[in-house]
């Protein structure tokens, strides 16, 4: 790179809030590729399968570490994406906790889930401790295969806790009877439950309001901040056939489903049991070209895949289609809206159910803030905009990040857990054009300093030490480099 180009790239760096960072963590695998207009940095590691992340009322990050419990992390925030782990401690040690985590709107109660139950603890956010014994609020959710129980506390309707429970893969037909409690999202009213209430208070299978069913495994749920509309991202089946043809490579699609509004109780507009989204009978089309006799099909259309007795017409008539469809096997784990309601972020943990790895990325979806609807049409094949991707999908899953939980902080930065690597990333919009910027590592194939990314050269120096240690990229180094440039 010429001196002029290097100077120019330094100027570009200066345009973002934070140009250098004294503690830079470097991934042990190829640094992620960051989309134009974004900057990303790894800010924590060494966690045990972090699945759900959420900020408490003091701004500390709570992390549900699967098989371990809930930890609380504070950071020294130097602006931009420059955050350094400060203090971390376990607030709940309970090995049965495996995915779900939510905090009450007053910040004083923590909810977390095992495969069987939802528990609640009184929480003192200032001190970062829970008190008392956990109360079991909801129980009777065990099954062997799809074991996450995602939790979402409504902000619009305080006290309404949504719980998503997947199906029993050994007995998919059990999901066709709503009272079995499989493959559905229910909402439970926790208002004024006290320790005097029986424990468990609710039986998942018989209590709560069914917001939607026929949902194989809707791991991520979110409430649109303006309209209160509830969306969920669905992990559809791994393997399908149609008329004897194996179509698992590119079908069926993963889904974004719209489940309605929590206050929409009018029976003329809402099925009492919530809408049925088709599992295990009908699935959404993703790749039309792979499907024989596809002339009446479109992306997102519910069709008969399994060689069952239903026709495509029956599928379309009986079941609710997705609002958007994503590529097969992307494995969406979380969805979070930014405050204005114009963007939803979706983490795709990725899968190797197809012949080559797919997913393994953080993407966004554009929404109309006022209507609370995605901008893209239901049959769109490009509703997703990638923000953070792995350099080489063929290295996945072993040498890749695998996105799980997402959280937005008070200044709009996006925090992302990678469960397989035990890491937390922070992403911030820079608004800059050109390549996005990964702080820590070369972010490209060129290696060394002055690599492909705008401004990447500065952090490359730190990135040469490819380990889990917090590297000191000193101000003196940057100053010296600046001095060298100007002489
Ligand atoms: C939840 O329960 C409380 C207390 O019984 C009640 O006042 C409130 O209306 C309920 N909320 C919803 C959304 O049903
Ligand atoms: C909940 O309990 C509080 C305190 O006992 C009470 O003031 C309030 O009215 C109750 N709310 C509902 C909706 O029952
Ligand atoms: C679980 O739910 C089933 C009905 O779906 C019921 O028969 C059983 O008693 C429940 N078990 C517990 C422990 O509540
Ligand atoms: C439901 O709640 C939303 C937002 O809180 C509100 O705008 C809407 O009017 C409510 N709808 C009904 C039917 O109460």
């Amino acid at each position: 790179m010429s001196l002029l180009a290097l100077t120019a790239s330094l100027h570009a760096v200066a345009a973002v809030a934070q140009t250098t960072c004294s503690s830079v963590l470097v991934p042990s695998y190829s640094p992620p590729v960051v989309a134009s207009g974004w900057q990303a940095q790894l800010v924590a590691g060494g966690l045990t399968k972090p699945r759900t992340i959420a900020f408490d009322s003091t701004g500390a990050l709570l992390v549900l570490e699967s098989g371990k419990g809930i930890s609380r992390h504070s950071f020294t925030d130097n602006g931009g994406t420059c955050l350094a782990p400060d203090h971390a401690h376990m607030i709940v040690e309970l090995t049965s906790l495996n995915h779900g985590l939510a905090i009450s709107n007053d910040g004083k109660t923590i909810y977390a889930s095992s495969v069987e139950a939802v528990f609640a603890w009184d929480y003192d956010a200032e001190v970062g401790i829970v008190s008392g014994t956990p109360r079991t609020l909801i129980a009777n959710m065990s099954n062997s295969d799809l074991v996450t129980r995602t939790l979402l506390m409504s902000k619009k309707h305080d006290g309404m806790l949504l719980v998503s429970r997947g199906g029993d893969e050994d007995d998919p037909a059990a999901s066709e009877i709503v009272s079995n409690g499989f493959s559905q999202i229910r909402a439970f009213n926790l208002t004024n439950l006290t320790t005097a209430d029986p424990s468990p208070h609710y039986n998942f299978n018989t209590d709560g309001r069914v917001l939607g069913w026929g949902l194989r495994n809707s791991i991520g749920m979110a409430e649109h901040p303006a309209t209160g509309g509830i969306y969920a991202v669905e992990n559809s089946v791994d393997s399908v056939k149609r008329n004897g043809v194996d179509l698992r490579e590119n079908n069926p699609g993963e889904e974004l489903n719209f489940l309605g509004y929590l206050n929409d109780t009018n029976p003329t507009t809402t099925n009492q049991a919530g809408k049925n989204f088709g599992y295990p009978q009908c699935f959404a089309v993703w790749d039309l070209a792979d499907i024989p006799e596809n002339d009446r099909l479109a992306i997102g259309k519910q069709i008969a895949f399994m060689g069952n007795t239903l026709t495509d017409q029956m599928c379309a008539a009986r079941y609710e289609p997705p609002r958007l469809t994503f590529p097969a096997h992307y494995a969406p784990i979380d969805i979070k809206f930014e405050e204005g309601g114009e963007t939803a972020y979706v983490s795709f943990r990725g899968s190797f159910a197809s012949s080559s790895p797919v997913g393994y990325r953080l993407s966004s979806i554009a929404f109309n803030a006022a209507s609370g609807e995605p901008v893209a049409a239901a049959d769109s094949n490009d509703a997703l905009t990638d923000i953070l991707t792995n350099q080489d999908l063929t290295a996945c899953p072993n040498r890749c990040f695998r996105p799980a939980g997402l959280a937005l902080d008070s200044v709009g930065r996006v925090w992302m857990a990678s469960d397989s690597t035990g890491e937390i990333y922070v992403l911030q919009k820079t608004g800059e054009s050109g390549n996005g910027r990964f702080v820590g590592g070369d972010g490209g194939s060129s290696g060394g300093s002055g690599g492909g990314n705008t401004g990447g050269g500065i952090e490359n120096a730190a990135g040469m030490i490819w380990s889990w240690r917090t590297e000191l990229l000193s101000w003196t180094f940057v100053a010296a480099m600046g001095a060298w440039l100007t002489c």
Side-chain angles (χ1 to χ4, degrees), residues 156-157 226-228 261-266:
K156 292 274 174 198
H157 301 282
T227 65
Y261 304 91
L262 288 176
N263 59 351
D264 188 4
T265 52
N266 182 343

Side-chain angles (χ1 to χ4, degrees), residues 317-351:
R318 288 184 196 179
Y319 300 119
E320 188 69 14
R323 180 56 185 80
L324 290 176
T325 306
F326 309 133
H329 314 302
Y330 259 39
I333 302 295
D334 202 358
I335 172 168
K336 287 282 186 314
F337 284 100
E338 54 83 21
E339 207 179 6
E342 287 188 349
T343 305
Y345 299 101
V346 181
S347 57
F348 292 100
R349 191 165 178 273
S351 144

Side-chain angles (χ1 to χ4, degrees), residues 109 111 120-122 133-138 189-202:
T109 308
Y111 308 100
W121 291 261
D122 293 335
T133 47
R135 303 186 296 285
T136 305
L137 302 182
I138 304 162
N189 190 346
L190 307 184
T191 308
N192 283 10
L193 286 192
T194 69
T195 43
D197 285 301
S199 177
H201 192 75
Y202 292 121

Side-chain angles (χ1 to χ4, degrees), residues 16 19 42 51 57 71 101 107 144 165 197 246 282 295 298 342-343 380 410 413 417 430 432 448 475 478:
V16 303
T19 60
L42 186 54
R51 292 288 295 188
S57 55
S71 52
L101 172 71
S144 61
R165 181 187 183 197
D197 285 301
D246 187 336
C282 304
D295 52 320
E342 287 188 349
T343 305
S380 168
S410 57
R413 290 176 297 202
T430 61
E432 290 172 5
W475 285 94
V478 175

Side-chain angles (χ1 to χ4, degrees), residues 73-322:
H73 304 255
S74 53
F75 290 83
T76 302
D77 187 345
N78 295 309
T81 55
C82 185
L83 293 112
D86 181 5
H87 178 76
H89 68 272
M90 297 301 296
I91 56 175
V92 171
E93 293 190 62
L94 186 58
T95 56
S96 65
L97 299 183
N98 68 346
H99 182 82
L101 172 71
I103 306 175
S104 62
N105 292 324
D106 69 5
K108 293 179 180 166
T109 308
I110 292 178
Y111 308 100
S113 64
S114 66
V115 55
E116 162 66 12
V118 177
F119 306 101
W121 291 261
D122 293 335
Y123 179 54
D124 181 336
E126 293 296 334
V127 188
I129 55 165
V130 295
S131 55
T133 47
R135 303 186 296 285
T136 305
L137 302 182
I138 304 162
N140 213 356
M141 301 193 289
S142 291
N143 45 275
S144 61
D145 200 350
L146 303 172
V147 296
T148 58
R149 307 289 176 250
T150 309
L151 308 178
L152 174 71
M153 175 53 77
S154 168
K155 287 203 159 49
K156 292 274 174 198
H157 301 282
D158 192 25
M160 295 302 286
L161 184 75
L162 276 57
V163 184
S164 177
R165 181 187 183 197
D168 183 342
E169 291 279 86
D170 297 330
D171 184 10
S175 292
E176 293 178 68
I177 299 166
V178 70
S179 59
N180 286 338
F182 294 121
S183 306
Q184 52 193 250
I185 294 173
R186 292 191 182 221
F188 297 85
N189 190 346
L190 307 184
T191 308
N192 283 10
L193 286 192
T194 69
T195 43
D197 285 301
S199 177
H201 192 75
Y202 292 121
N203 175 352
F204 183 91
N205 305 337
T206 50
D207 298 321
R209 180 172 145 209
V210 179
L211 290 181
W213 55 307
L215 295 162
R216 175 179 171 269
N217 198 21
S218 285
I219 302 182
M221 297 185 284
E223 179 182 55
H224 190 270
T227 65
I230 303 293
Y231 286 90
V233 284
E234 165 80 333
N235 289 253
S236 198
V237 286
D238 290 338
S239 163
V240 283
K241 283 187 175 171
R242 185 167 157 96
N243 303 330
V245 181
D246 187 336
L247 294 173
R248 83 177 77 183
E249 185 73 8
N250 297 308
N251 284 289
E254 310 284 47
E255 306 174 1
L256 175 77
N257 289 309
F258 177 61
L259 288 98
Y261 304 91
L262 288 176
N263 59 351
D264 188 4
T265 52
N266 182 343
T268 63
T269 60
T270 307
N271 181 330
Q272 293 290 11
K275 290 171 181 158
N276 189 309
F277 292 83
Y279 174 82
Q281 292 288 354
C282 304
F283 300 92
V285 170
W286 171 249
D287 190 325
L288 276 170
D290 268 15
I291 304 175
E293 294 167 49
N294 63 11
D295 52 320
R296 302 167 92 153
L297 304 183
I299 288 173
K301 202 168 156 133
Q302 295 264 16
I303 67 168
F305 264 118
M306 292 309 201
N308 51 26
T309 52
L310 296 192
T311 63
D312 291 349
Q313 289 71 21
M314 288 160 131
C315 285
R318 288 184 196 179
Y319 300 119
E320 188 69 14

